Amino acid sequence: MNILLSNDDGYKANGINTLFNVLSKKHKVFMIAPDSNRSAVSHHYSMYVPQKIIKVGENKWSSSGYPGDCIFTGLKSNLLSEKIDLVIGGINHGSNIGTDIVYSGTCACARQGVLLGCPSIAVSLDVKEWSVENVAKMDFTAIADFVGKNIETLYKMADKIKGTGFININAMEGESYKGVKFPKRLGVRRYKDYAEVAEQDGDSCIIKFVAGGNGVPDFEDTDFQAVQEGYISISNVFAEPVCDQLVDDNTFSL
């Protein structure tokens, strides 16, 4: 199988390189990933700014663009001579659960793959206690091995829904897992982040993002619950926007 990997943590990140090494044992794997951290860029897309692509290893390239650009390059340019069978975003340094999916560049990799007609998967790993130190020493071995052992099954799942969505995998860092769960719902996040004016000089100022933690008020049967309880969460996430018909008795002037 020809697999295209990307992420939003950058091509040097441990997560994507661990997965690259595991999958390369039995498959032909290509990596096109950002040249630096692009976390929380969502589906940022460079239409008018050319990308600078640098070969950084065997079947590995860095890109000056964003995660979505990397997948577009892999699937729609002549950089790669082989046809890609499967797109994987990750392994991300941090979970992409529920509302996180909106902001995630890792999930954007999978979404971009689906929008271009390719079966796609996003894989993310969380830590029990979030800190810069804990994230830096994350061990991706167990979740990478899970993906490697089950790649054919995961491909079939992704291929089955490639017209509508991607497979989103989340787990907690650990040496093993209790099993796999398919959550009924995605957990809605309640972020406590905020922004503050850090410096001000006349009419200009510097605004800084401050992380405030988050919670999931509706916990039962969600991807968040599955991960917290030691399971691997696997969800089917729609790639295209989904709407519901408005039924309203208001009148409008034309």
Side-chain angles (χ1 to χ4, degrees):
M1 192 184 307
N2 295 327
I3 301 173
L4 173 62
L5 295 187
S6 191
N7 69 352
D8 64 5
D9 294 306
Y11 75 96
K12 293 182 180 180
N14 290 334
I16 192 170
N17 283 287
T18 301
L19 187 58
F20 183 95
N21 292 336
V22 168
L23 293 176
S24 293
K25 294 175 182 178
K26 294 184 178 180
H27 304 276
K28 191 160 188 179
V29 185
F30 303 90
M31 178 198 299
I32 306 175
D35 58 13
S36 60
N37 194 300
R38 301 281 196 276
S39 294
V41 297
S42 189
H43 208 121
H44 189 124
Y45 197 56
S46 302
M47 295 178 65
Y48 307 109
V49 179
Q51 295 176 71
K52 183 177 182 180
I53 303 292
I54 300 175
K55 190 167 187 178
V56 294
E58 185 65 28
N59 292 337
K60 292 183 177 182
W61 292 265
S62 72
S63 165
S64 62
Y66 293 83
D69 297 321
C70 294
I71 300 304
F72 189 86
T73 297
L75 297 182
K76 300 294 284 186
S77 78
N78 57 355
L79 179 69
L80 307 180
S81 57
E82 289 84 351
K83 179 181 182 298
I84 297 300
D85 301 303
L86 177 67
V87 164
I88 303 180
I91 302 168
N92 189 62
H93 294 225
S95 62
N96 282 304
I97 293 173
T99 313
D100 299 338
I101 296 168
V102 175
Y103 300 97
S104 170
T106 297
C107 289
C109 293
R111 186 184 302 110
Q112 182 68 74
V114 171
L115 295 178
L116 296 177
C118 189
S120 301
I121 299 169
V123 188
S124 304
L125 190 68
D126 206 358
V127 287
K128 293 180 180 178
E129 186 176 343
W130 189 267
S131 69
V132 175
E133 294 77 16
N134 287 343
V135 172
K137 60 183 182 182
M138 289 176 76
D139 185 354
F140 297 89
T141 304
I143 190 62
D145 286 344
F146 170 80
V147 174
K149 291 174 183 175
N150 298 280
I151 193 65
E152 298 293 345
T153 299
L154 292 170
Y155 169 76
K156 290 177 183 177
M157 293 173 65
D159 187 54
K160 188 175 181 179
I161 62 169
K162 68 180 179 182
T164 57
F166 61 90
I167 297 297
N168 190 36
I169 302 173
N170 281 274
M172 188 70 71
E173 182 187 21
E175 295 181 358
S176 61
Y177 299 101
K178 294 179 180 178
V180 173
K181 282 196 173 181
F182 303 101
K184 295 179 181 179
R185 298 178 295 125
L186 301 180
V188 176
R189 295 282 206 175
R190 290 289 180 259
Y191 300 106
K192 298 178 183 178
D193 308 326
Y194 60 96
E196 65 178 9
V197 177
E199 301 174 29
Q200 191 154 6
D201 181 13
D203 292 331
S204 67
C205 63
I206 301 296
I207 303 293
K208 289 189 176 180
F209 172 87
V210 181
N214 62 74
V216 180
D218 194 359
F219 184 76
E220 295 296 321
D221 298 324
T222 62
D223 49 357
F224 185 80
Q225 181 185 33
V227 170
Q228 289 295 312
E229 293 183 350
Y231 292 88
I232 296 172
S233 169
I234 302 182
S235 305
N236 171 6
V237 176
F238 286 105
E240 295 278 6
V242 178
C243 77
D244 197 5
Q245 185 178 16
L246 290 172
V247 179
D248 197 284
D249 58 1
N250 288 320
T251 59
F252 298 88
S253 299
L254 299 176

